[in-house]
Amino acid sequence: MWSGSPLFPEAASTIASRVDAVFFFLIGVAVFFSVLIAALILRFAIKYRRRAPDAIGEVITGGVLLETIWTAVPLAIVLISFGWGASVYFAMSRPPEETLDIYVVGKQWMWKFQHLDGQREINELHVPVGRAVKLTMTSEDVIHDFFVPAFRTKADVIPGRYTTIWFEPTKAGRYQLFCAEYCGTRHSGMIGQVVVMEPTDYQAWLSGGPQEGSLASRGEKLFSDLACNTCHRPDTQGRGPALDGLFGKTVTLQGGETVTVDEAYLRQSILTPAARITAGFQPIMPTFQGLVTEEQLLELVEYVKALRSR
Amino acid sequence: MQTTVAALPPRHYLNDGFGIRSWLFTRDHKRIALLYLATITLFFFIGGAMAVLIRLELATPAGDLVTDETYNKLFTMHGVMMVFFFLIPSIPATLGNFLVPLMIGAKDLAFPKLNLLSWYIFVVGGLFTLYALISGGVDTGWTFYTPFSTISSTSKVVPTALGVFITGFSSILTGLNFIVTIHRMRAPGMTWFRMPLFLWSIYATSLIMVLGTPVIAITILLVAAERLFHFGFFDPAVGGDPVLFQHLFWFYSHPAVYIMVLPSMGVVSEVVAAFCRKPVFGYRIVAFASVAIAVLGFLVWAHHMFVAGISVYAAMIFSVLSMLVAIPSAVKVFNWTATMYRGSISWQTPMLYAMGFIGLFTIGGLTGVFLATLAVNVHVTDTYFIVAHFHYIMVGGALMGYLGGLHYWWPKISGRLYPEFLAKLSAGIIFLGFNLTFFPQFVAGYLGMPRRYHAYPPDFQVLNVLSSAGASILGVGYLIPMAYLMWSLRYGRAAGSNPFGAVGLEWMTTSPPPTENFATTPVVAWDAYDYKGEVEGRVA
C-alpha cells in the first residue's frame, strides 16, 4: 500500500508483505508508548511544576498493582512480537520443496552468479517472477551479505561454508542488491541488481546467453580432469565411495556417527577429506584445498547432486 | 534550603596541592575523576570530529569528499573512540569515581592507588589507539569482524586491538574497585536499600565490566595472534571459523551496551528524584531492574547474528531472551515517569536532560524490540535502522544521561554554578539536533540503505541531508557546554554545598568537597531521597 512512497520500500516478494505487517504492528506499539510516555512527562512537568522554592513532592514510594501492570503488559506485547516474528522467520528460513537453484559466490567486491543451465553473471541476477528461487552462497575471501530490500531478506555470505537464502519474486522489475556486511575498501561498490522477469522473458534470456554447458556438465569434466573418477567409481569397486544416488542420503561414518550428504558435507569432503570418512573406507583421499576455486567446488557439488537421479 | 555563599570553602580537594605532580600522583578519587574527565573529553572531540567528516561525506550520494579507504577509517575510528574511550568509561570513571565514595559516606575508594593505575592504563591504551590513528588508521569497523580483520585488512589492526586490550584492564580495575568499595566501605547505617539508585546501577555496571571485559580481551588477542602468526582461529582457509569471532565479540560487546546505558539510568534516577523532590517510585524494583539488565545482558549476544548462519532454533532462543531485556528497561521508564506524578518539578538543566533521556531511551528501547523480532531484524540489520537504534541508546540515552549528570554534579565537582540559561539552551539544541540527525536514519534503514557505505544510491539523499544538517546542530550543542563549563571553572558563582536543594550524602559536604570528603563519617538513619524527612529535620 505504501509502494512508491519515498518513505517506504517497494515490496516485491511473497515474504515482504508479511515482514511489513510485523513492522507496522511494532510501529503501532512504538508510537503508542512513545507518545504515552512523552505526554505523561510533559503533563506532569507542567502540572506539577515547582510552585514554591522549598516545596517538596508528595511521598509515593510505589504501587504493586501499577508495577504488575507495567511488567505484564510489555511482556505480553514482546511475546506476541516474538511469536509473530519467529513464525515469519521460520518461513524465510525454510524454502519450499521445488525451487529454482542458483549458486552465488561473493568476493571483494563483486557478486558472481552461476545458473544450473550454465549461464554466469556478475552483479546482475536474472530470475523469473512467481517461482521460488533458492541461492546457495559462499565467499572467496571475507564475509559479505546478500541483501535485496525489496524482498525484505538478507543473509551473510561466509567463507568456508554454504549459506542459503530463498525468495519468491512477485513483480517483474529491477531491484537493488547490496552487500550488507562490511567487507573492506570498496564495500559500497559491491552492489548489483536482481532482474525479475516474466517467465517467457526469462526463458528467452536463458536460451540467449552464452552456453558453456550446464553447471553439472562442467563439474563432470572437472571430476575427470582432477582424476576423482579413478577412486570414486560407479561400480562400488573403487577406493572411495560410489557417488551415484548418494546426495541426500544418510551415510554412516567411521565411529558410528551418521551424516546426511548435503552441499556442506560434499564441500568438506573435497577440502578436508579426513574430517568425516565414510565407514569402510580408508582416509587416503588428498585434500583439494587451494586446487579448486569456490566456483569449481560448486560445479563438483552440482555434478554429485546430478548423480542423484542416476 | 538554598545556602547562599559568596566564596568557595577555604580548603577543598582542588586547592589541596598545586602543580602537575599533585595531579599525576594523586590518590584522591575526585582528582582521578577529573583526570578521566579531561581525557575522555579529548577522545570525545576526536571521535566527534570524525563524525563530522562522515556526515559531510554523506551529504551527497557520491563518495566525493574523502576516498573510500579514508571513509572506512573514519567510521572505524569514530566507533572505537566513542565506544571504548568515551562511552564505556564516561559515567563510571568520571561521575562514578567522584560520587561512589561521597554517596556512601567514605573517604575514598577501597584501592586509591589501583584507581590511579587504572587511569594510567587507560591513557596508555588511548595512546596506542591514537598511534594507530596517526600512523595510518584502521579500517575494520569497531567490530573487527574476522576474517576481514585477520587476513584482508592492510591497516593498523594490531595497534588498535592492543589499545582496546590495554584499556580493558582499566575497566576491570575500576569495576573491581567499585564492587569492593560498595561492599565494604558504606557509612554506618547506609544499608543496600538506602543507597542511591545511582550506586545500584554502578554496581551492576561493575559486574559486567569485571565479568565481560576479559572475554573481549582474549578475543582481541586471538585476532592479533591470527594476524601476526597466522593461527587458524577464524580463517576458514586454515581451519578456523569466522563466525566464532562474532560469538566471542558480542558476548562482551552486547553487555557493553549496558555498561554504557546503566550508569545513565542511575543518573536519571538521581536527577528525577532531586528535581521532583520525592523518592523514586518503586525504589527496589528500579534497583533490581539494574541487576536484571546486567544479568540478562549476558544472554542475548547472538541477536547480532540472526543473518550470520546460526540455526533457526538458536535464533528463536536469542530472540525471546532479547525480548526479556525490554521488561526491566520498560519498568524503569514507567517508574521514572510515575515519580514525576505529584512531584515538585523544577525545570532546571539536569531535569531537562533526564526528561530527554527518558523520551529518547524509550524510542531506542522500543526499536530494540523491532530488532529482537526475527522477521524484522532480517530486513533491517546492517542497515541505517541499526545505526539509528544504537545512537538513540548510546547518544540519546547514555550521552544525555552523562551530560545531565555532569550538569547536576558540576557545582559539587567545581564548586561553581554554570550559566543556567545557556545550559538550558544547549540542552534544547542537543535534543533537536539529535533527533534530526538520527530519526531520518530509521527511515533510511527500513528503505534498505546499508550501513558503512561510502557512496549510496541517490534515492537516499534527502534523508541523509536531513541527518547531516542535524549533526551540525548537534555539534554546536556539544561545543556550548564545553565552553561554559570551562568558563564557570573560573568565573562561575560559588555554588554552596547544596545548590539544588537535593538530598544525598554528597550534598552534605562542601562544594568542592575536602580531600577527605567528610569532616566526620556520617551516620545514615534515613532512606534515599527522603525529602519529607529532610523538611522535618530527620535527615542531617
Side-chain angles (χ1 to χ4, degrees):
Chain A
M1 62 174 156
W2 288 87
S3 280
S5 148
L7 297 180
F8 208 75
E10 192 163 4
S13 76
T14 49
I15 212 79
S17 57
R18 297 184 64 185
V19 174
D20 288 348
V22 186
F23 184 70
F24 284 128
F25 164 71
L26 286 168
I27 293 224
V29 170
V31 168
F32 175 78
F33 282 102
S34 305
V35 170
L36 175 74
I37 294 294
L40 286 175
I41 287 178
L42 287 177
R43 181 175 163 75
F44 292 164
I46 292 165
K47 186 168 180 197
Y48 302 115
R49 66 185 179 278
R50 193 168 294 170
R51 312 272 174 175
D54 285 350
I56 64 165
E58 189 176 316
V59 177
I60 309 169
T61 51
V64 175
L65 181 65
L66 273 176
E67 300 284 1
T68 312
I69 291 172
W70 65 50
T71 305
V73 171
L75 183 65
I77 290 172
V78 296
L79 288 180
I80 291 168
S81 188
F82 160 73
W84 193 354
S87 75
V88 177
Y89 183 75
F90 214 82
M92 285 174 166
S93 312
R94 298 289 148 104
E97 283 292 305
E98 278 304 310
T99 51
L100 172 65
D101 291 356
I102 298 170
Y103 291 99
V104 182
V105 176
K107 64 174 284 192
Q108 289 169 326
W109 291 276
M110 65 166 80
W111 294 104
K112 298 190 282 192
F113 301 100
Q114 291 179 298
H115 296 261
L116 293 190
D117 284 357
Q119 281 85 352
R120 298 162 185 263
E121 302 185 74
I122 286 179
N123 291 347
E124 205 171 60
L125 172 64
H126 288 77
V127 291
V129 73
R131 258 186 92 181
V133 177
K134 187 177 99 178
L135 307 182
T136 300
M137 312 188 289
T138 190
S139 163
E140 281 181 19
D141 36 48
V142 302
I143 300 177
H144 303 280
D145 185 290
F146 184 94
F147 176 35
V148 182
F151 297 165
R152 308 287 189 277
T153 193
K154 172 188 288 142
D156 280 3
V157 177
I158 302 169
R161 66 165 80 168
Y162 292 129
T163 54
T164 59
I165 190 172
W166 80 274
F167 50 83
E168 184 179 326
T170 52
K171 273 194 272 189
R174 301 179 78 89
Y175 303 103
Q176 271 166 331
L177 158 67
F178 294 118
C179 175
E181 184 64 65
Y182 174 68
C183 59
T185 308
R186 293 187 47 223
H187 169 54
S188 63
M190 192 166 164
I191 55 179
Q193 287 196 317
V194 178
V195 184
V196 178
M197 310 172 90
E198 293 299 337
T200 47
D201 298 341
Y202 178 70
Q203 281 310 323
W205 177 82
L206 264 188
S207 49
Q211 290 298 335
E212 309 172 46
S214 72
L215 207 56
S217 70
R218 293 208 298 267
E220 184 172 18
K221 180 167 182 305
L222 202 55
F223 195 76
S224 64
D225 289 353
L226 294 168
C228 310
N229 53 2
T230 54
C231 295
H232 294 286
R233 291 163 40 177
D235 56 6
T236 71
Q237 302 299 307
R239 286 183 290 169
L243 304 179
D244 288 12
L246 184 63
F247 190 85
K249 293 250 171 66
T250 301
V251 297
T252 308
L253 303 176
Q254 281 180 357
E257 263 184 280
T258 60
V259 63
T260 303
V261 179
D262 57 6
E263 290 90 347
Y265 178 63
L266 290 178
R267 177 195 168 85
Q268 185 188 38
S269 296
I270 298 169
L271 296 180
T272 44
R276 290 195 282 180
I277 296 284
T278 309
F281 292 92
Q282 294 301 310
I284 50 168
M285 178 170 156
T287 172
F288 285 82
Q289 183 97 45
L291 299 177
V292 286
T293 65
E294 288 294 345
E295 283 153 288
Q296 288 174 326
L297 262 175
L298 289 170
E299 289 166 4
L300 287 170
V301 166
E302 189 53 35
Y303 170 62
V304 176
K305 283 169 86 169
L307 290 177
R308 149 173 60 172
S309 48
R310 256 201 221 164
Chain B
M1 252 181 242
Q2 205 130 346
T3 39
T4 35
V5 206
L8 301 190
R11 200 178 61 81
H12 54 78
Y13 79 101
L14 290 171
N15 67 8
D16 186 8
F18 295 94
I20 191 81
R21 290 171 58 89
S22 77
W23 285 89
L24 292 183
F25 298 107
T26 182
R27 276 171 279 162
D28 181 355
H29 65 101
K30 300 182 287 302
R31 286 193 165 208
I32 294 169
L34 289 190
L35 292 175
Y36 266 113
L37 179 64
T39 327
I40 67 166
T41 304
L42 174 72
F43 289 134
F44 174 76
F45 280 98
I46 294 174
M50 291 172 180
V52 170
L53 290 172
I54 290 169
R55 284 315 327 166
L56 277 175
E57 168 63 69
L58 294 178
T60 59
D64 42 13
L65 181 72
V66 293
T67 64
D68 41 16
E69 208 181 322
T70 306
Y71 180 81
N72 296 342
K73 289 175 177 173
L74 284 172
F75 73 67
T76 300
M77 268 300 168
H78 170 70
V80 169
M81 282 291 163
M82 289 302 200
V83 170
F84 294 110
F85 294 95
F86 176 70
L87 284 166
I88 287 177
S90 62
I91 294 181
T94 56
L95 298 175
N97 242 330
F98 196 93
L99 291 165
V100 168
L102 279 169
M103 282 183 162
I104 59 172
K107 290 188 191 318
D108 205 323
L109 288 174
F111 308 113
K113 288 181 193 165
L114 211 56
N115 196 21
L116 182 64
L117 177 66
S118 74
W119 178 71
Y120 276 102
I121 293 173
F122 179 68
V123 169
V124 171
L127 289 177
F128 257 91
T129 308
L130 281 179
Y131 160 76
L133 171 70
I134 292 163
S135 67
V138 61
D139 69 348
T140 59
W142 79 276
T143 47
F144 301 106
Y145 268 24
T146 58
F148 178 72
S149 62
T150 56
I151 61 165
S152 179
S153 173
T154 53
S155 61
K156 301 282 179 193
V157 178
V158 172
T160 315
L162 284 179
V164 173
F165 173 79
I166 293 167
T167 303
F169 286 92
S170 142
S171 212
I172 294 171
L173 293 181
T174 302
L176 193 69
N177 221 337
F178 288 163
I179 291 173
V180 175
T181 306
I182 291 173
H183 270 276
R184 305 291 305 164
M185 298 183 63
R186 282 171 285 125
M190 177 60 87
T191 61
W192 282 86
F193 291 111
R194 281 180 180 166
M195 290 198 314
L197 286 164
F198 179 73
L199 295 181
W200 275 93
S201 71
I202 287 286
Y203 185 81
T205 307
S206 303
L207 288 178
I208 306 175
M209 286 173 160
V210 170
L211 296 175
T213 316
V215 179
I216 189 82
I218 292 163
T219 311
I220 278 175
L221 275 194
L222 293 180
V223 168
E226 179 160 300
R227 251 187 102 81
L228 295 171
F229 311 114
H230 311 290
F231 290 133
F233 302 122
F234 309 120
D235 176 9
V238 280
D241 180 353
V243 180
L244 171 64
F245 171 84
Q246 297 180 25
H247 282 288
L248 295 171
F249 179 83
W250 290 115
F251 184 81
Y252 165 78
S253 295
H254 191 79
V257 174
Y258 303 117
I259 295 182
M260 302 176 217
V261 82
L262 273 171
S264 273
M265 293 173 157
V267 168
V268 170
S269 296
E270 296 305 307
V271 169
V272 168
F275 291 86
C276 296
R277 293 228 178 109
K278 65 198 286 283
V280 170
F281 190 92
Y283 170 97
R284 285 190 186 217
I285 288 172
V286 175
F288 286 133
S290 290
V291 180
I293 290 171
V295 172
L296 286 172
F298 276 108
L299 305 175
V300 301
W301 74 90
H303 70 212
H304 296 267
M305 302 166 60
F306 288 154
V307 298
I310 64 173
S311 82
V312 177
Y313 297 101
M316 285 187 179
I317 288 166
F318 280 102
S319 168
V320 78
L321 287 170
S322 305
M323 293 292 184
L324 296 184
V325 184
I327 305 304
S329 311
V331 164
K332 281 190 175 222
V333 167
F334 287 122
N335 278 287
W336 292 320
T337 310
T339 304
M340 292 177 68
Y341 177 71
R342 293 185 175 278
S344 168
I345 301 173
S346 163
W347 290 56
Q348 288 172 88
T349 311
M351 187 63 187
L352 296 187
Y353 277 110
M355 291 194 285
F357 174 100
I358 298 171
L360 299 179
F361 177 76
T362 300
I363 296 176
L366 283 163
T367 49
V369 175
F370 286 57
L371 294 171
T373 303
L374 286 163
V376 176
N377 179 288
V378 169
H379 177 58
V380 296
T381 191
D382 288 321
T383 71
Y384 264 84
F385 194 94
I386 296 280
V387 177
H389 160 72
F390 71 68
H391 280 92
Y392 265 80
I393 297 289
M394 292 181 187
V395 184
L399 187 57
M400 292 294 256
Y402 170 72
L403 289 174
L406 197 59
H407 282 84
Y408 178 45
W409 285 292
W410 186 255
K412 182 56 60 184
I413 293 169
S414 69
R416 295 180 187 277
L417 297 173
Y418 46 81
E420 179 68 14
F421 174 77
L422 264 183
K424 280 183 180 166
L425 179 73
S426 58
I429 291 175
I430 288 173
F431 186 80
L432 285 179
F434 172 81
N435 282 296
L436 185 57
T437 308
F438 293 107
F439 199 84
Q441 297 183 1
F442 282 124
V443 181
Y446 202 78
L447 279 170
M449 179 170 171
R451 65 191 285 207
R452 296 172 168 175
Y453 263 35
H454 166 237
Y456 57 86
D459 317 0
F460 302 124
Q461 189 176 7
V462 174
L463 294 164
N464 276 283
V465 168
L466 287 176
S467 207
S468 294
S472 50
I473 296 172
L474 191 56
V476 172
Y478 291 140
L479 288 172
I480 302 174
M482 174 80 185
Y484 66 69
L485 289 179
M486 301 278 275
W487 174 88
S488 75
L489 278 179
R490 198 176 171 89
Y491 303 103
R493 272 196 304 125
S497 60
N498 190 3
F500 301 118
V503 168
L505 290 184
E506 78 270 31
W507 301 108
M508 299 172 100
T509 185
T510 55
S511 306
T515 303
E516 70 279 11
N517 292 343
F518 300 96
T520 53
T521 301
V523 178
V524 182
W526 53 85
D527 289 340
Y529 323 117
D530 189 0
Y531 284 86
K532 196 159 190 294
E534 209 240 355
V535 169
E536 292 167 1
R538 280 181 280 112
V539 176

